[in-house]
Amino acid sequence: MEWIEITADWDAESLRKVTARSETEQNDVEATVAAILADVKANGDAAVLAYNKKFDGCNCKDLRISEAEIEAALQEVGPEMVAILKEAADNIRVYHEEQIMKSWLKEFRPGVRLGTHITPIRRVGLYVPGGRAAYPSTVLMDAVPAKVAGVPSLVMISPPNKDGRINPYILAAAHVAGVDEMYRVGGAQGIAALAYGTETIRPVYKIVGPGNMYVATAKKQVFGTVGIDMIAGPSEVGVIADSSANPTWVAADLLAQAEHDPMAAVYLATPDKALAEQVVAEVERQMTGAPREEIMRSSVERWMRVFVTPDIETAVAVMNGIAPEHLELALDNPEIWLPKVENAGAIFMGHYTPEPVGDYFAGPNHTLPTSGTAAFSSPLGVYDYSKRSSILSYDKQALTAIAHKVEALAKAEGLYGHAASVAVRHSEEVTNEN
Amino acid sequence: MEWIEITADWDAESLRKVTARSETEQNDVEATVAAILADVKANGDAAVLAYNKKFDGCNCKDLRISEAEIEAALQEVGPEMVAILKEAADNIRVYHEEQIMKSWLKEFRPGVRLGTHITPIRRVGLYVPGGRAAYPSTVLMDAVPAKVAGVPSLVMISPPNKDGRINPYILAAAHVAGVDEMYRVGGAQGIAALAYGTETIRPVYKIVGPGNMYVATAKKQVFGTVGIDMIAGPSEVGVIADSSANPTWVAADLLAQAEHDPMAAVYLATPDKALAEQVVAEVERQMTGAPREEIMRSSVERWMRVFVTPDIETAVAVMNGIAPEHLELALDNPEIWLPKVENAGAIFMGHYTPEPVGDYFAGPNHTLPTSGTAAFSSPLGVYDYSKRSSILSYDKQALTAIAHKVEALAKAEGLYGHAASVAVRHSEEVTNEN
């Protein structure tokens, strides 16, 4: 934990370094991943099955998850949990429907119609981690917006355990969200199967979802062949608190973030130093004996920062410099500070909106830009599963009217063929020199 | 050039290989770029000036381009060209204003307000290539949407010539588009300066713009530290033609694309084999003696594909499989085929909308997804310079109503701290076991 006193002459840009938590050399990972990608590209299913055995200890033959397995998973998690998953999926769906883009075409100038043609990506792959980090909520958050966008073919992959099984909560969430195909394969080999295709798994056009270092590196390496979502780094929360905040609640919210990962970072900015001291004491009290105490303590010790600021405005500016994934405004009047927020993945308003509400239930996406990337990127959404194509339409008169200007610009750029393609339409003679 | 007869049992996905024009090993480039990035990160301006000398032969001391230089550039290109640039910028501005996203907040359920908070990226860097590929139109296309998004600080960099000068058309276009700062530096060293900052150049949050292999590799390597736009590959056009098409015009349009780059690809799909033969003859006739004949011929010989299809519908399906950057519908009734188009960067409707109109003047962006990436990505736009933050707001009653469901999901994921941050708000006692 570190206390940072913000004074009048502070430098907002220095905060960009606060969020940089990992810039390790990973040349070994790069090479290992490249070899796995090449193997799967060349050898398809055979390579995938061999890696399933090697990395996951799974001696399975069928990559595809059957209807019977999905049915068994629904039984196992029980009807009450399925109902909660459905309600969460509905909330996510309703919120994301606000993001649907519509095609349009309109006349901007006489004879000049311009517009946008919106289409879904044809086939998308979702990566879902296995083991400790198996989060059914992430399946909903990644899959529901794809279906809202109209993606006709949505594929999920996840690493199997030794018996070839996938966490039943994951399968139940995928079923509820409308995933079309599910396969048992994880790691770089799973990313390769999605990007290049195998005998069993047809290739996709985009891959989304979190994963470990091998998965993230594989996604980076196949980027270009397919689209990818952001590369998720460790998670973080920032809380801006005034004297109206309850230190017990603020501490609980900081720890909810800290329990994710020893690399998770938690930031508090407040003008009320006494409050800050109470929060710090509460953090210590609440994490002692908590089920995930070890992870929490590691995160808090290394990555908790307490900023004591001259005023709320400066606290907001500090968080804008950090660009946290989650930003809680534990303030009496969060609305008046909202317009000042520049950089945050998601903003939680007031004392009764703890961050976990957004993880599961509210509706907005929990796949958010991490590690300061909220300064230049946005939550996952329908946009990520849709494409825009520009539409241009000139009639003869409209083209003739601007022909000489297009030709002048083309020639300024030395592109005579560009000029010719316009000129040819208003002269019978094609002149190459034109 | 290759003729491809499309028969009834064709495989649309096989076309993904048609567009893959370059998957070369570039380990040398990776290592060279990594060394340059590290040098600039460590040594700032001194490293940048040394690379300017080494790579561009420029012994300059001032990196920043002065007001006097910009004024001189405007004089040099002349008032007529400045007026054309302004008109093009206006057209680009008016089209992109349709893309402005607005913040919103609404009540979805009693006591539950959700929304989206829209903000511009605070500082953005534009890379503009020098030399042969110095395109003022690209400056307009990259800069105007940034200003429409409200980016307050927009920086342009471009490699200098031996005398330290930048192409005056580039400077004039940047001035017209409202670029705030301009610097003479290119290559990987320029990308490093934008990503990490130097004594003279403050760092940015996102870098956009095309460049050579070193620039593209540097952008990939700094991705994460900053945002980047797409990595542009070689350009392409696809033309779908029916018997109403003029073979002379279609050939001119194919050559306008071919003259860009020996790697540029041109595709024709038509059910009219006689028309296809006329187009091929016209391509040969028009490129013979053309100013950029050598580039055109290289592109046409290696990367021109003519698809003869059973009908227009199949021709559209072929282009959906290719996902061309530019798609011309050289058809009598392009409107009726538009809904069938799935994958294209920009769609040019009818016989009087040659692709070069979109390069310069119409208004939609000419920075488009290349090499098949239109299957999963979109033209550059205001979206690329804006960020969305989700907004969540629960009141006490709304939180209490869903508390048990959030706690159930949190516990299903093994995240007891998440459950506690909700529980603590409806009990006075904090229990770690809860």
Side-chain angles (χ1 to χ4, degrees), chain A residues 100-121:
Chain A
I100 293 172
M101 296 188 285
K102 293 207 175 70
S103 297
W104 57 273
L105 185 64
K106 76 174 201 186
E107 190 164 48
F108 277 68
R109 299 177 289 280
V112 179
R113 287 177 307 149
L114 306 172
T116 302
H117 179 62
I118 306 291
T119 47
I121 299 177

Side-chain angles (χ1 to χ4, degrees), chain A residues 95 98 106 109 113 115 117 137 256 259 335 341-344 347 351 362 387 389-390 413 418 425 432, chain B residues 95 98 106 109 113 115 117 137 256 259 286 335 341-344 347 351 362 387 389-390 413 418 425:
Chain A
Y95 177 83
E98 300 283 331
K106 76 174 201 186
R109 299 177 289 280
R113 287 177 307 149
H117 179 62
S137 56
E259 76 171 341
E335 284 80 4
V341 173
E342 274 186 60
N343 297 329
I347 305 161
H351 300 304
K387 300 163 278 131
S389 303
S390 307
E413 296 188 350
H418 282 57
R425 284 169 163 85
N432 290 320
Chain B
Y95 177 83
E98 300 282 331
K106 77 174 198 184
R109 298 177 290 279
R113 288 178 305 150
H117 179 63
S137 56
E259 77 171 340
Q286 291 181 34
E335 284 80 5
V341 174
E342 275 185 59
N343 297 327
I347 305 161
H351 301 305
K387 299 163 281 130
S389 304
S390 306
E413 295 188 350
H418 282 56
R425 283 169 164 85

Side-chain angles (χ1 to χ4, degrees), chain A residues 338-409:
Chain A
L338 181 59
K340 299 273 187 187
V341 173
E342 274 186 60
N343 297 329
I347 305 161
F348 299 80
M349 308 273 285
H351 300 304
Y352 290 96
T353 318
E355 185 276 332
V357 168
D359 281 346
Y360 300 114
F361 222 77
N365 214 288
H366 82 195
T367 300
L368 299 168
T370 56
S371 304
T373 59
F376 52 82
S377 49
S378 299
L380 189 73
V382 173
Y383 308 100
D384 297 288
Y385 299 102
S386 309
K387 300 163 278 131
R388 293 171 282 115
S389 303
S390 307
I391 310 170
L392 300 89
S393 174
Y394 275 64
D395 69 15
K396 187 175 179 176
Q397 288 70 25
L399 179 65
T400 305
I402 60 148
H404 66 287
K405 295 173 196 167
V406 174
E407 291 168 46
L409 281 165

Side-chain angles (χ1 to χ4, degrees), chain B residues 337-378:
Chain B
W337 294 104
L338 181 59
K340 300 273 188 188
V341 174
E342 275 185 59
N343 297 327
I347 305 161
F348 300 79
M349 308 274 284
H351 301 305
Y352 290 96
T353 318
E355 185 277 330
V357 167
D359 281 346
Y360 301 113
F361 221 79
N365 215 287
H366 81 195
T367 300
L368 298 168
T370 56
S371 305
T373 59
F376 53 81
S377 48
S378 299

